[in-house]
Amino acid sequence: MVEYEGCREKQRIIVIKEIKDSANSTSLVIRKSAEGLKGKINIPGDKSISHRALMLGSIAEGETIIRGLLLGEDPRSTAKCFAAMGVRISELNSNQVTVRGVGDSGLQEPTDVLDAGNSGTTMRLMLGILAAQQDKFFCVTGDESLRSRPMSRVIKPLREMGAIIYGRKGNENAPLAVVGQRLKPIHYHSPIASAQVKSCILLAGLMTEGKTTVTEPFLSRDHTERMLQAFGARVEIDAETHSVTVEGPTQLRGTTVIVPGDISSAAFWLVAGAIVPSSDITITNVGINPTRTGILEALEKMGADITIMNQREMAGEPVADLRVRCSSLQGCTLSGEIIPRLIDEIPILAVAACFAKGTTVIRDAAELRVKESDRLAVMASQLGKMGAKVTELPDGLEIQGVDSLLGAQVDSYNDHRIAMSLAIAALRAKGETVIHRAEAVSISYPDFVETLTHIALF
Ligand code: S3P
């Protein structure tokens, strides 16, 4: 058991403990609400950009240096998969990682199954690359959660390109078998705004002769488009129709990637700072790519006091420092084009909504049902255990604000963002909250508990 030193002033006691049980699972115990979270936080590298840097570096010619890579479990899964195909990647234990690219046809046929772990981005983006590796055979799998997540959204368009891919349940679920082919270009109109779908097809298109285009209903995160250009690819973007085109075959060239801090990780502190009385937190070096800043717009709409400071550009991505101070929040309605720009932040926004006056309604977010867990069902049930008034809708949540929550026994369902969202909710819950299976945080934020302790004890 690890017990962090409590902050034992009269009104202000927070005890954070991690308890390991016999199944080697960790429960995070947060007792009594903290007041006045204060300090400066440096958040880990952006998960989406980290995956892309490892993948593009692997299929580029020459060396890629990645600074600020996220050292979480998900990028480790990507690195392991590409290492198994002969890419030399330096150990993921320091701020700087080197990838010695093998070129777009240099990947070796792996001698064993590729394991994407818990990472949908690893599996879906990698499938685009594997499908185009002519005459090589690959098996791809993942953990229990990933094996139940839909893969036909990428397999269907890849098959239109001529890919040979088979999977369980009518090619819906991993394990998957891929026999690399010479592909043909397509114009794919994706029914969903998904950066994983868009990126998968663009990566396949990179190794395919001709122009491959993806059109999506709303703009999803555009890190792939930006990074492809940094690696030397020509990318055409039609902002009006949300279309992206790559012309292949294009050989990428290794480069230096500087990974900004992940706004999806910053979101936990933005909400913590907004809802815990007397808080004043500054989060440094946060990526504020407009395809990701829905969380800032939503919190501002709710009345959060957030200041964006020191805006700058780092290796093709906009970056800033964010300061958040506690303020009273109002409920609001979120739907439509903003949803893909805050899709991963909906669990923590649900926590903010619990403490906002009136009703918050989130719609058009059915995608949350097929993330690492069914995030609509899990947030409704777990916040419900803490006394929140949450109604599950088919494609969203309706949340009625309350004065405070009650500590309870809750479960992450092995979902990193659920574990962290519940930990922030616990900061405004009376009594003790125990979050089971809290080790899930290591997927995207290995230092989450240390950082929480740091700002609680400042
Ligand atoms: C991601 C895209 C999003 C997001 C996921 C990461 C990416 O998924 O939820 O956490 O890196 O491309 P979808 O593309 O399925 O919306």
Side-chain angles (χ1 to χ4, degrees):
M1 182 178 91
V2 185
E3 180 160 354
Y4 296 90
E5 174 92 350
C7 182
R8 296 177 195 284
E9 287 166 29
K10 249 191 224 152
Q11 295 289 312
R12 212 170 142 222
I13 302 174
I14 174 170
V15 177
I16 303 165
K17 288 191 279 186
E18 284 181 297
I19 303 170
K20 277 217 188 304
D21 70 15
S22 50
N24 224 10
S25 177
T26 300
S27 295
L28 178 60
V29 184
I30 298 180
R31 194 182 307 143
K32 266 211 162 187
S33 44
E35 269 190 33
L37 301 172
K38 292 209 162 63
K40 225 180 202 181
I41 297 175
N42 221 335
I43 44 165
D46 187 279
K47 184 156 80 67
S48 293
I49 297 177
S50 295
H51 284 299
R52 287 157 174 79
L54 288 165
M55 288 192 200
L56 298 195
S58 293
I59 57 169
E61 253 170 17
E63 192 175 88
T64 289
I65 309 270
I66 311 171
R67 296 211 181 96
L69 186 88
L70 167 63
L71 303 175
E73 292 305 320
D74 268 11
R76 286 182 196 283
S77 294
T78 294
K80 266 190 223 149
C81 288
F82 282 86
M85 294 185 280
V87 180
R88 283 193 287 147
I89 302 175
S90 65
E91 261 194 64
L92 266 54
N93 59 7
S94 83
N95 193 285
Q96 183 161 312
V97 171
T98 307
V99 181
R100 286 186 212 291
V102 294
D104 60 13
S105 54
L107 292 174
Q108 292 164 16
E109 189 176 68
T111 54
D112 205 345
V113 175
L114 297 171
D115 187 356
N118 188 245
S119 174
T121 310
T122 306
M123 185 171 282
R124 295 199 180 110
L125 268 59
M126 188 168 67
L127 280 172
I129 296 173
L130 302 185
Q133 301 297 310
Q134 286 175 44
D135 303 323
K136 291 172 195 160
F137 174 75
F138 309 89
C139 272
V140 188
T141 193
D143 70 7
E144 196 182 342
S145 151
L146 187 55
R147 278 183 274 119
S148 71
R149 293 179 67 186
M151 290 300 142
S152 58
R153 56 181 59 199
V154 292
I155 294 175
K156 188 180 154 280
L158 285 174
R159 283 182 151 216
E160 275 179 36
M161 295 178 80
I164 297 186
I165 306 179
Y166 291 100
R168 290 188 305 122
K169 301 198 177 159
N171 306 323
E172 179 68 350
N173 291 141
L176 304 170
V178 183
V179 185
Q181 300 294 311
R182 177 194 289 270
L183 301 179
K184 55 178 192 291
I186 57 167
H187 184 158
Y188 186 59
H189 293 267
S190 177
I192 43 173
S194 160
Q196 294 180 355
V197 171
K198 173 173 64 177
S199 305
C200 167
I201 304 311
L202 292 176
L203 290 175
L206 203 64
M207 299 170 202
T208 301
E209 197 164 337
K211 284 189 170 185
T212 296
T213 303
V214 182
T215 298
E216 47 185 352
F218 297 118
L219 185 60
S220 64
R221 63 192 68 188
D222 66 357
H223 305 300
T224 301
E225 296 90 299
R226 287 173 186 251
M227 204 184 287
L228 278 173
Q229 293 177 63
F231 276 79
R234 265 195 303 122
V235 178
E236 290 165 33
I237 294 165
D238 183 343
E240 223 164 272
T241 60
H242 314 303
S243 300
V244 192
T245 301
V246 289
E247 187 163 359
T250 299
Q251 178 54 68
L252 304 180
R253 307 247 164 263
T255 187
T256 297
V257 180
I258 301 170
V259 183
D262 197 329
I263 193 167
S264 298
S265 298
F268 300 107
W269 312 123
L270 291 174
V271 171
I275 64 171
V276 175
S278 316
S279 293
D280 185 350
I281 305 170
T282 298
I283 312 155
T284 56
N285 199 28
V286 184
I288 53 160
N289 178 317
T291 59
R292 299 284 299 280
T293 46
I295 176 72
L296 296 179
E297 290 161 43
L299 286 173
E300 270 156 26
K301 200 169 166 185
M302 295 174 84
D305 179 358
I306 297 173
T307 315
I308 302 176
M309 303 176 300
N310 302 327
Q311 288 197 49
R312 56 209 185 263
E313 185 142 327
M314 262 167 54
E317 290 279 350
V319 172
D321 302 333
L322 305 177
R323 180 177 183 188
V324 57
R325 282 170 281 193
C326 183
S327 59
S328 61
L329 301 181
Q330 293 290 333
C332 72
T333 296
L334 299 167
S335 63
E337 73 78 35
I338 198 171
I339 297 297
R341 298 192 296 113
L342 49 66
I343 190 76
D344 293 337
E345 288 69 73
I346 290 174
I348 190 63
L349 269 173
V351 173
C354 287
F355 301 103
K357 284 198 189 80
T359 309
T360 298
V361 181
I362 301 168
R363 305 293 318 230
D364 302 325
E367 270 295 299
L368 286 197
R369 297 206 180 274
V370 290
K371 294 291 179 191
E372 286 84 330
S373 68
D374 177 343
R375 288 180 173 163
L376 296 179
V378 173
M379 283 311 287
S381 67
Q382 303 310 294
L383 285 175
K385 285 187 192 170
M386 298 176 80
K389 293 189 175 152
V390 185
T391 310
E392 198 182 327
L393 307 172
D395 64 343
L397 296 170
E398 187 174 302
I399 301 159
Q400 206 75 46
V402 291
D403 284 336
S404 83
L405 296 178
L406 297 171
Q409 301 269 336
V410 290
D411 190 356
S412 78
Y413 284 74
N414 284 327
D415 183 329
H416 53 130
R417 300 205 197 280
I418 301 284
M420 293 184 274
S421 299
L422 294 172
I424 301 305
L427 298 175
R428 277 222 22 208
K430 289 191 183 118
E432 184 174 278
T433 300
V434 182
I435 302 155
H436 296 286
R437 298 194 274 182
E439 68 279 9
V441 303
S442 64
I443 290 291
S444 64
Y445 205 153
D447 294 336
F448 175 79
V449 177
E450 283 75 5
T451 301
L452 177 57
T453 313
H454 167 74
I455 55 167
L457 303 184
F458 195 81

